[in-house]
Structures are given as structure tokens and as C-alpha cells.
Amino acid sequence: MTFLPMGRRALLTGTAGTVAAATLPAPVAAKPAAQGGLLDGLSPRPGLPERLPVEDPSRILLSNGWLFQEGDIVSPLPVTHDETYTNAKAGNARGAAAMEYDDSDWASVTVPHDWASAQGFVETANVSQGYRPRGIGWYRRTLRLDPADRGKKLELYFGAIATVATIWINGSVVARNFSGYNAVQVDLTPFARFGDELNVIAIRVDATAMEGWWYEGAGLYRHVWLAKRAPVAIVTDGVHCDPRRGSDGRWQVPVSVALESIAREPASATVMVDLLDPAGRIVGSARGQAELQPLGAAQVALSLPVVEPQRWSIETPALYTVRVATDAPGGGDERRIAIGFRTIRFDANEGFFLNDKAVKLKGVCLHQDHAGVGVAVPDALLAWRLQRMKDTGVNAIRCSHNAQAPEFYQLCDRMGFVVMDENRIFNPAPENMAQLEWLVRAHRNHPSIILWSVFNEEPMQGTEAGVEMVRRMAARVHALDDSRPVTAAMNGSFYDPQNVSSVVDVMGFNYYQGDYDKFHALNPAKPSSSSEDTSAFMTRGAYATDKAAHVMSSMDTEAAPWGATHRDAWAEIAKRRFIAGGFVWTGFDYHGEPTPFTWPTIASFFGILDLCGFPKTAYDIHRAHWIDSEPVVGVAPHWTWPGREGQPIELLVTSNAERVRVVLNGRMVGEQPVDRIMGNAFTVPYAPGKLEAIALKGGREVARAMHETAGPAVALRLTPARRQMLGDNEDVVPVTIDAVDAQGRHVPTENRMTRFSVEGATLIGVGNGDPNSHESEKAPQRSLFNGLAQMLVQAGEGRGKVTVAASAEGLRPARLVIDRVAAAPRAQVAVTPTGAFILGWRRSKSFAAAPDPSLAPPPNDNNSWDFTRSGSAATPEAGPSFRLYRATLPVRRRVVAQGGTLGFARIEGRATVYVDGRQVATKRDFAAGPLEATVPAGAKIVAVLVEAQPGARSGLTGAVRLAPR
């Protein structure tokens, strides 16, 4: 399920006990007169998440039924001639890719799945990957296709696989992919089997390959889908429908539709396109025709004129829908694609314009991982993360340094973000160019995307070769999408005789803020933006640097040598109109790249928010910088400093108002005109009590932030991100754990271990935002870190209650009830029953009389006996006939040790079953029917003698399943 958060920021209402909402409340607007300090924005939001519309209704999720084995499984080398001969043939993969491989003791997993997120931290593992071993793993999935699916175009779609993947279907290699960030599409159609003849998907994933210098995860970490389409179908990512405004001011939606046919005969297809406005009304239509040869392709181009459409913007992201449908023999196909009417322009002197209005890009760079789940981020959690960015005032996101999940772009369209979409590998060789082309085709309809970035910080950026590489990549991007500029994130070489700034549309500075003016003076016609800036360090909840303990102050005083503090970096961007905006490194902390430290630090310090989405001081700093729609104020640090009575405490107060006043225990400490960018400094002797920062406009209070001195912790508190969740097996609610004193005040210094239990849902991950913690992110416990920890709770199915409990030694436990609202789960491909299936058989010629059941093909004889499969019937003979079927029993450890049962779903004709030469079962009638046979322990060979009536079909026409006793 993909989700869109509803509502805006809500107030922290105090201690949380049982939360149960029986109705769906309307979204509540923010109330800026009070904020919750460290817990700001984390209190429960009203309402349920909104489901994203389905773009391709032919797709069905393939999330369940996967088996996983960590570690490589080396395929045995063929030795005999028979083994060597069959090894070279289609459908005869060996080892874990073989259809009959014994996976009975593999773990059952649900995808998305990141196996590295469950690993412990190992000092000898790669520092940039967060000291987590990644290794090699295998996935297998048995798939039953309905006979009604014959003749359809069948496609497997993997959102992404980390990292190098080889995919087999029914023992044949069907795809090899070398990047962990692009989607992988597999045409299942020519390999498919139907009914009781089952399909086996096997995937080897090598996650030792590293594309980045951050935590990249491991495995099938995005959604997997099965598409079932008509014989004449719309190609995946085959619709291009990004609106255009002409020089005369009139709008058109050019629609290009790519079709493909697997039909056996020439086909004529009608393409029908409707444009629906945000209210669902049809406001334009067009029709086209295509002629397709068998296994051929065609393109249909149409255009829809639109009069005065509603504009898509950051504040009002109005979305239209282009509905494309086909009508052809064998059925139709459909896509529903969200689009937005907006214009974008980068000006060399004035910056970025959206709908002809100057907009400063208030951006962040984002990696794709979260505490507890690694890169396998559920859709609902992704929506929550993006809402946290909205709360911060972010209007732009850079995909660093790779494509994100499809749901990310849909959410950005709907929530009102503009996006710099970034290519991963800088290389125009065919394989890498194909990944770039996929990126553009897959995302070019999204109104949120305003820039294509072809690289990040490449050493060849100042060379002739680098220029030639960018020229080719930019040309390919423009050929696929002529509406958006191309950029590159450069970290030097701007003034070299050969450098890529000369061949991109928009200059992207990674840091080098001292060069903005010089570059602009030398290149007055080149638009410019900060593609990456800041790289400041903060440990959430810590207010003094202790480098020996790998702790960085959150008072915005620490930054990387190449970067700047949050305030200094934005100051340089804000004062230059010609700089379109900036992208802070980073919006969230992320696993890996533990700069400026190494072991035992396992995560970054760069985020405005920590790994769990808890705010650092940078959150309030940037809210003051970026939010214009409401008054805000924040104050750091907290106000619980036992033992420091009378000592001066340096305060940082941030606001977007006119003046700010500091009050301690009802007495005004001072008042200053607001410095919106650098904040306001106050020095206050510490005295326990209530510290308040009051924002003023026109002499009137418009916002207030407050910290109270906390006493010793006496109890835990649980605060859910939402009071309700969908009972659809997918929805996820983050739950905040903190400790409170006897008066219910948050204790920001508490760090004790807390333990959890969840009923009615699943605990899928935990975290606390500590970049130095080595605690498990999967165990039902987590230490508080500077007062906070997080649980990720994933819903079960149906209506009910989710009960969450937390306990800690010496503290009163907390209990929370979340209402689980009934919601139909998204359609899932059914899970095929476990067991081993005999798929391949050798079948003798037809005999007029019953042959000796011990008869077998001679060694190295690959010609005198047929190769056949379960589910296939033998050709009828004019007279009585006998055929012998032979197969090696699949090796299943339990069956080998204890024996088992061989179940024939359907045999046509009389049949006698022999196991290792001993008769074990007989079917005495000719009519089609099942048969069950006992298999003794250690058995190896099965033979079936089938007798057919004259002119009648015969054979093993159903599945053959071996199960343990």
C-alpha cells in the first residue's frame, strides 16, 4: 500500500495513554502558538492515510511467498557427459537456480526485504556501508499461473534489487542487472507454464558490489509486481504525456503511446486517451489507431488541447489524470498517469521560476534508508518521512545519488515537492546508458521533476573525456524529454579549459560557495544552483562536542572542512538571486558514511533530522529560514541541566517573526530583533523552571516555544504518528517512546533500555537516532537516546485493535492502543503451497505391450527418449499403448531422512508407480484422476508406466508433488 499523510502539524498534547479514534477526524491545521521542542511535529496526526491511485491496473503485488537463503550457493560443476549436455540447454540451471532445488529449509520472507538491515555491526566490514556485512543471498518463489492467462503478456517487475542480480525463470537465465537502483523488467511470457505445471523464480543477489559510499542495503528491497496484460499491450513506461505550453500561451498534452504485440496474427488496436481534471471530470479526449504485426511494436501520437488548466505548484499541487486505454483482439490494456500543468525556467540572473513565479529552492538531499528497516522502507513510512520534510519547510528534494522508489515520485507530485532526479553511474557505455534512459522514461511524466542530474562529484568533470561523456548523456536525456534541463553536481574544475559546466543546462555547485560570484561573472548566461551544501554535523539532543566520544554539538557550530554550518550555508544562497536555491546535505541522517568518525560510529551526522526522523536543532533553524506561511520559533538547548545552576547557558533562538523575547520563570531575560538566517543568541544563567522563546509581530505574540526542567524519569510514554492505521497488512505507524517525570514532562537526558511488545500488528524495526549505537534494529527493545526511541509498527489485516506496550526497569510502563480500521488489502499473487515438484521427465516411445519398468535411456543418450514435463499429455495412438516415464526424485532432506508422499494431481490412463524399482502404487482405471504413492527414505528414482486406450490422451497431465510425511 502506498500512502499519503493527511493533515498538518499537530500539537503535542501531553502524556499519551490509550489512543482510540472511532471516527475519521478532519485534518487539523497547525497551531503555531506552541511547539513541543524535541517532540515537535511527532504528536498524533488525525485521519487515515490516503491511498495513491493505481497507474497500471494490470499489476498485482508479488510480496508474499518468497524464500530466502543468506550466503552463496555454489552450483556444482557438471562432470559427466549427460550433465554437461543438459547444462548447456535451456531450462537446466544447476544448484539453487534449478527448479527442483531443495529450498525447504529456507526462511520465508516478505518483500520489500533488506537482509543487511538485520546484520550486526562488524569492524572489519566496509566503513562507508555502515560496518554491516552485505554478502550474497538467494531468493526463490514458486508461481502458479492460471490457464486463463495463456496468451497474455506476462511481466515481472522488480522495483530494484541491491545489487548485482541474476534472475532465472524455470531454469533459464532471463535477466542480469548490475545496478541496485533501476527497475528490472522480465518478460515472463515465453517461459511461462500454466495450471499445475508450476513456475520457479530464482534470484542470486550479490550485494558485495558497491555503487555508492553510503549504506546501500541488500536484496529485493522494493516492490515486486506481476503484470498480466492483453496480447496487444501498452509497453511498461511506454506513455509519455508531460504537458506543454506553447509560445501563444495555449496548453497541449502531447500523448505518445508505445504498444507491443505477442499475438500470433496481425492486430489492429484502438488507442483511447481521456484527460481528467482534479475532480475526475473528462476535459479532453482523443483517439488513434495502430496496426501491429505478430511480435511487433507500434507508436501512436495524439494531442489534447486544454483551456486554462489548474496549475500544479508547491502550494497547490493540482493533478490531472491521463487515462490511456487500448481496444484490440484479446482484450484491452489501461494506464492512469497523474500529470501537472506547470512551467519551469532557470534564469541565469534571477534563479528558478515555477509558473513564471520566482521560487527559491529550499532543498535537501535524501538517501533512502530509515532506522529499523534499512532501504526496504514501507510506503507509509516513506510518506511519513516526506511529511517530516514538509514540516521542516522543504520544497525541493535531490535524489542522492540515484533513482528512488516509484512511490517517492508519486508522493512528491501529490505533496508539492520539486525534485532533482539523479543518475547513479557516470558512464555512457550501452549498459549504463540504458539505465539513464530507464530513469527518464520511468519518471518524465511527473510534474515534480524539474532537473535531470547526470552525475555527482566525478573526478573526470574537468577533462575532455568527461565533457564528451556528459554531451552524450545529456543528448540522450533531451531526446527522451525536451522539457527539463540537465545538470551535474560538480565539486571543482569549474574554470578548467575543459569542464562539464560548459555542456550542462544548469550549473550545479557541490559546496564551493566562495565561487558563486566568480563563476557567475565568468559565465553570465549560465543558470546556477547549489546542488549540495552545508555538510554540518549534529548529534541529536547533544549540545557540546566531545570528539573522543564521537559526539557533535547540535548548536550548529560543527561542519565538515568542505562545508559550512546550516546558517552560514543558507546565508550564501539566500542573498544571491542568481543561485536558484540549495540542497542541504542531508534531510535525514543515514546509515553508513560516518564522517568525521570511523568505528564504532555507524551512521552519519549530517541530517536535519536523525535516523528516526527526530528533529535536531537544524530543524528549527531551517523552519525559520524556509517557512513563510505561519510564524515559527524554536530554542536550543533543552532546559534540564542539573548541577549547572547559576552557570551561563548559551541559547540559540530561531524565528521568522519580527522580534523574539526570552522569558525564564516568568521574567524577561531579553528581547531582540529577529535575525532570520543566523538566529539570535542569548546567554542565560541556568535556573530550573520554564524557559520560553516568544515570537512577536507588530508587538503581538504569534508563536511560542517552551522547555521545562524535568525531574527524574518515572514513566514511559508512547506517542503514535497516527491514532489509526489501515488493517491491510501494509500500513506502518512510527511510535515514539520517551520518558516523563512525575509531572508528565519529557526527560531529554534519559537513556535507559526500553522493551516492547505489540499485539495485532508486527514490530518491523526499532531505532533511536544514535549514530554510535550497535543495538539490533530488529529486536523488541531499544535504549532511549537523549530521551527518545522509535518503534515501527506494521498493521495486520482487518478491523481490530493494535496494542503497543513499553517497559523499562524502574519506570512505570506505557500502553498504547491504535485503532486498526478495516481496509481491503491490495491484490497479491497467491502463495503456491510448499513442497517439491517433479517438473522434468524422460518419456519412452510408445510400446504395444508393457515394457520392463526398469527400462531406462542408456548413459549419454539424449535422443531416444523424449524430454517432457508434468502437465503434458502424450499424443494418442491408434491402438493400445504403453509409455514409461522416469525422473530423479527431488532431494529434500526430510524426505531423504524420513520418506514422504508422491502426489500425482492428474494421470490420464492406467498407471503403475515404481520407486527405485519397487511398485508402490497403482491406478486401475483409464479416466483422468489423482494418485498417491509412498516414497521410502533414501529413494532416488521414480518410474511411472502409463497405459492408454486406443485414440485417447495419456500421461502425467497434472502437477507431481513430493511432500514429507
Side-chain angles (χ1 to χ4, degrees):
M1 182 58 55
T2 299
F3 306 87
L4 182 67
M6 296 179 66
R8 298 288 295 167
R9 302 171 64 245
L11 293 176
L12 180 68
T13 54
T15 56
T18 298
V19 179
T23 60
L24 302 182
V28 176
K31 297 181 181 179
Q35 294 184 8
L38 283 175
L39 300 182
D40 185 38
L42 297 174
S43 55
R45 297 176 185 270
L48 285 164
E50 179 184 352
R51 297 181 173 185
L52 284 178
V54 175
E55 179 175 301
D56 182 354
S58 71
R59 284 183 181 170
I60 310 169
L61 276 172
L62 195 60
S63 303
N64 305 320
W66 290 93
L67 300 176
F68 172 69
Q69 173 67 42
E70 188 175 348
D72 199 10
I73 300 170
V74 179
S75 298
L77 293 174
V79 177
T80 67
H81 177 74
D82 276 352
E83 291 173 343
T84 308
Y85 180 88
T86 55
N87 181 66
K89 303 300 180 181
N92 281 284
R94 298 169 64 80
M99 298 183 70
E100 68 277 7
Y101 184 80
D102 183 5
D103 55 17
S104 58
D105 58 353
W106 287 21
S108 178
V109 299
T110 300
V111 300
H113 178 245
D114 173 9
W115 85 72
S117 67
Q119 301 289 340
F121 301 99
V122 178
E123 187 172 4
T124 55
N126 183 273
V127 55
S128 297
Q129 297 281 341
Y131 293 106
R132 275 196 163 123
R134 295 163 73 220
I136 295 172
W138 283 81
Y139 294 86
R140 285 173 61 90
R141 216 281 192 184
T142 301
L143 175 66
R144 185 185 189 278
L145 294 171
D146 193 293
D149 295 331
R150 275 195 175 92
K152 293 180 181 179
K153 172 65 188 291
L154 304 172
E155 181 181 274
L156 292 172
Y157 184 94
F158 300 85
I161 305 173
T163 300
V164 175
T166 306
I167 303 172
W168 291 262
I169 293 175
N170 296 336
S172 293
V173 173
V174 295
R176 292 185 174 93
N177 192 69
F178 299 90
S179 175
Y181 299 104
N182 63 290
V184 183
Q185 297 157 214
V186 175
D187 184 2
L188 174 62
T189 318
F191 306 95
R193 295 163 184 166
F194 302 91
D196 291 331
E197 191 174 9
L198 302 175
N199 300 269
V200 175
I201 305 165
I203 307 171
R204 181 183 185 270
V205 182
D206 183 355
T208 60
M210 298 180 195
E211 292 181 89
W213 48 96
W214 56 88
Y215 174 80
E216 297 186 272
L220 306 183
Y221 74 94
R222 290 183 186 161
H223 289 304
V224 180
W225 303 83
L226 171 65
K228 299 180 179 183
R229 298 176 181 146
V232 176
I234 302 168
V235 174
T236 297
D237 301 327
V239 178
H240 187 196
C241 52
D242 189 26
R244 301 288 191 275
R245 186 178 68 174
S247 57
D248 59 359
R250 297 180 181 179
W251 284 92
Q252 297 277 337
V253 182
V255 182
S256 174
V257 183
L259 302 174
E260 60 185 351
S261 174
I262 64 163
R264 294 177 178 269
E265 302 293 335
S268 177
T270 302
V271 176
M272 299 158 286
V273 178
D274 294 321
L275 179 65
L276 285 67
D277 70 10
R281 297 182 295 259
I282 296 176
V283 294
S285 297
R287 301 291 183 268
Q289 199 74 17
E291 302 297 328
L292 294 95
Q293 294 300 311
L295 301 178
Q299 198 90 13
V300 175
L302 302 167
S303 186
L304 300 171
V306 186
V307 179
E308 296 184 0
Q310 299 178 48
R311 297 295 187 93
W312 183 96
S313 69
I314 291 165
E315 297 78 18
T316 56
L319 291 173
Y320 286 66
T321 299
V322 173
R323 182 173 62 200
V324 182
T326 63
D327 185 9
D333 195 12
E334 183 179 318
R335 301 289 185 277
R336 290 174 171 258
I337 298 169
I339 62 169
F341 290 84
R342 89 287 184 270
T343 61
I344 60 172
R345 175 166 58 90
F346 284 85
D347 185 272
N349 294 311
E350 302 295 326
F352 172 67
F353 288 78
L354 180 63
N355 297 321
D356 300 317
K357 175 185 175 182
V359 174
K360 204 72 168 179
L361 300 178
K362 303 166 182 177
V364 293
C365 301
L366 289 183
H367 282 313
Q368 57 182 3
D369 65 307
H370 191 89
V373 292
V375 295
V377 178
D379 296 344
L381 182 59
L382 175 58
W384 182 84
R385 283 167 57 88
L386 289 174
Q387 185 62 52
R388 297 296 288 139
M389 293 292 93
K390 272 288 181 185
D391 296 344
T392 311
V394 172
N395 67 12
I397 296 173
R398 176 188 177 207
C399 302
S400 51
H401 304 288
N402 50 264
Q404 304 286 313
E407 294 75 20
F408 166 87
Y409 302 97
Q410 289 182 279
L411 287 165
C412 287
D413 290 345
R414 294 170 67 83
M415 297 175 72
F417 292 101
V418 292
V419 174
M420 178 197 297
D421 207 6
E422 191 156 274
N423 173 60
R424 172 74 292 272
I425 301 298
F426 179 46
N427 188 332
E431 177 187 301
N432 303 105
M433 192 69 89
Q435 292 175 12
L436 176 62
E437 291 175 349
W438 164 81
L439 176 82
V440 178
R441 283 197 179 96
H443 303 156
R444 61 188 173 181
N445 294 320
H446 291 284
S448 54
I449 294 177
I450 61 169
L451 279 168
W452 302 111
S453 173
V454 294
F455 74 61
N456 173 73
E457 298 184 356
E458 287 292 335
M460 295 176 68
Q461 62 198 347
T463 67
E464 181 179 4
V467 169
E468 290 300 318
M469 292 164 72
V470 169
R471 284 185 63 223
R472 284 153 177 78
M473 297 175 78
R476 195 66 61 91
V477 170
H478 287 315
L480 294 169
D481 173 32
D482 62 359
S483 71
R484 298 174 180 90
V486 170
T487 188
M490 296 184 67
N491 64 331
S493 307
F494 318 125
Y495 314 116
D496 290 358
Q498 294 271 7
N499 77 82
V500 303
S501 71
S502 64
V503 290
V504 295
D505 304 310
V506 176
M507 170 62 191
F509 286 96
N510 275 18
Y511 312 98
Y512 285 88
Q513 293 187 301
D515 284 77
Y516 289 168
D517 296 331
K518 178 181 176 182
F519 183 88
H520 182 56
L522 293 173
N523 301 272
K526 178 73 66 176
S528 298
S529 181
S530 169
S531 43
E532 184 174 322
D533 52 74
T534 310
S535 276
F537 302 130
M538 289 188 183
T539 300
R540 193 262 303 154
Y543 299 96
T545 294
D546 183 351
K547 292 186 177 180
H550 293 200
V551 172
M552 289 297 205
S553 170
S554 281
M555 295 301 286
D556 198 31
T557 56
E558 303 287 351
W562 60 85
T565 65
H566 289 273
R567 293 168 292 166
D568 288 339
W570 184 247
E572 296 303 310
I573 295 167
K575 67 187 180 186
R576 292 174 171 87
R577 294 176 66 179
F578 69 84
I579 294 294
F583 294 87
V584 173
W585 190 264
T586 50
F588 288 80
D589 281 343
Y590 53 95
H591 295 90
E593 199 176 13
T595 310
F597 305 115
T598 55
W599 183 267
T601 303
I602 48 82
S604 77
F605 293 77
F606 296 116
I608 295 171
L609 309 178
D610 70 12
L611 277 165
C612 297
F614 296 140
K616 305 180 188 179
T617 306
Y619 173 79
D620 280 325
I621 290 171
H622 286 297
R623 282 175 59 78
H625 290 167
W626 293 342
I627 291 179
D628 298 316
S629 60
E630 62 180 276
V632 300
V633 65
V635 58
H638 60 70
W639 205 242
T640 300
W641 301 100
R644 293 189 61 180
E645 287 76 9
Q647 296 180 25
I649 300 289
E650 299 293 328
L651 303 183
L652 176 62
V653 180
T654 53
S655 180
N656 62 359
E658 294 172 353
R659 298 184 66 82
V660 67
R661 178 185 298 160
V662 173
V663 175
L664 177 61
N665 294 327
R667 182 179 63 84
M668 189 173 78
V669 173
E671 183 176 313
Q672 298 176 12
V674 164
D675 185 335
R676 186 172 179 181
I677 290 183
M678 301 307 294
N680 294 79
F682 294 83
T683 301
V684 182
Y686 176 65
K690 181 186 292 186
L691 178 74
E692 298 171 283
I694 302 169
L696 306 169
K697 183 177 182 180
R700 297 176 59 250
E701 177 181 332
V702 292
R704 179 184 297 242
M706 180 265 291
H707 296 307
E708 285 191 88
T709 304
V714 301
L716 292 177
R717 173 170 58 184
L718 295 173
T719 306
R722 278 186 275 113
R723 296 179 176 91
Q724 294 178 309
M725 66 193 314
L726 296 173
D728 63 355
N729 288 324
E730 291 191 72
D731 193 7
V732 171
V733 171
V735 177
T736 299
I737 308 101
D738 75 323
V740 296
D741 68 6
Q743 281 71 48
R745 296 174 296 213
H746 170 67
V747 183
T749 56
E750 184 58 62
N751 293 297
R752 76 184 76 188
M753 176 65 73
T754 58
R755 295 174 174 82
F756 317 128
S757 65
V758 178
E759 296 179 5
T762 302
L763 181 65
I764 62 171
V766 297
N768 61 13
D770 181 0
N772 299 315
S773 176
H774 289 194
E775 294 176 16
S776 169
E777 294 188 20
K778 299 295 185 182
Q781 61 182 36
R782 189 72 173 187
S783 296
L784 297 176
F785 174 63
N786 291 335
L788 298 172
Q790 183 181 74
M791 285 184 274
L792 299 176
V793 178
Q794 188 164 52
E797 186 173 343
R799 185 177 183 86
K801 301 293 183 183
V802 174
T803 303
V804 182
S807 62
E809 186 175 347
L811 299 181
R812 188 167 64 249
R815 182 174 176 272
L816 167 72
V817 176
I818 301 172
D819 190 25
R820 196 179 69 218
V821 178
R826 287 195 287 185
Q828 293 271 356
V829 177
V831 176
T832 302
T834 58
F837 293 84
I838 302 179
L839 302 169
W841 298 81
R842 297 298 302 274
R843 183 178 63 197
S844 72
K845 66 178 183 179
S846 174
F847 295 93
D852 185 333
S854 66
L855 185 67
N860 303 327
D861 181 354
N862 295 294
N863 300 96
S864 60
W865 286 51
D866 293 335
F867 290 87
T868 190
R869 310 196 68 77
S870 300
S872 300
T875 303
E877 300 285 347
S881 64
F882 296 82
R883 286 184 173 88
L884 191 63
Y885 294 76
R886 295 181 64 85
T888 301
L889 287 167
V891 176
R892 294 295 182 268
R893 283 174 278 279
R894 281 183 58 191
V895 175
V896 170
Q898 304 170 14
T901 301
L902 198 58
F904 296 83
R906 178 185 175 96
I907 300 178
E908 296 185 35
R910 292 175 177 168
T912 306
V913 180
Y914 302 85
V915 174
D916 288 346
R918 185 170 65 89
Q919 182 176 329
V920 294
T922 301
K923 175 176 174 288
R924 301 187 183 281
D925 59 332
F926 287 101
L931 180 63
E932 189 172 284
T934 299
V935 175
K940 296 182 178 180
I941 302 294
V942 57
V944 184
L945 181 62
V946 178
E947 179 185 356
Q949 289 180 303
R953 287 183 4 143
S954 67
L956 312 181
T957 54
V960 183
R961 179 172 177 262
L962 177 65
R965 288 180 181 172

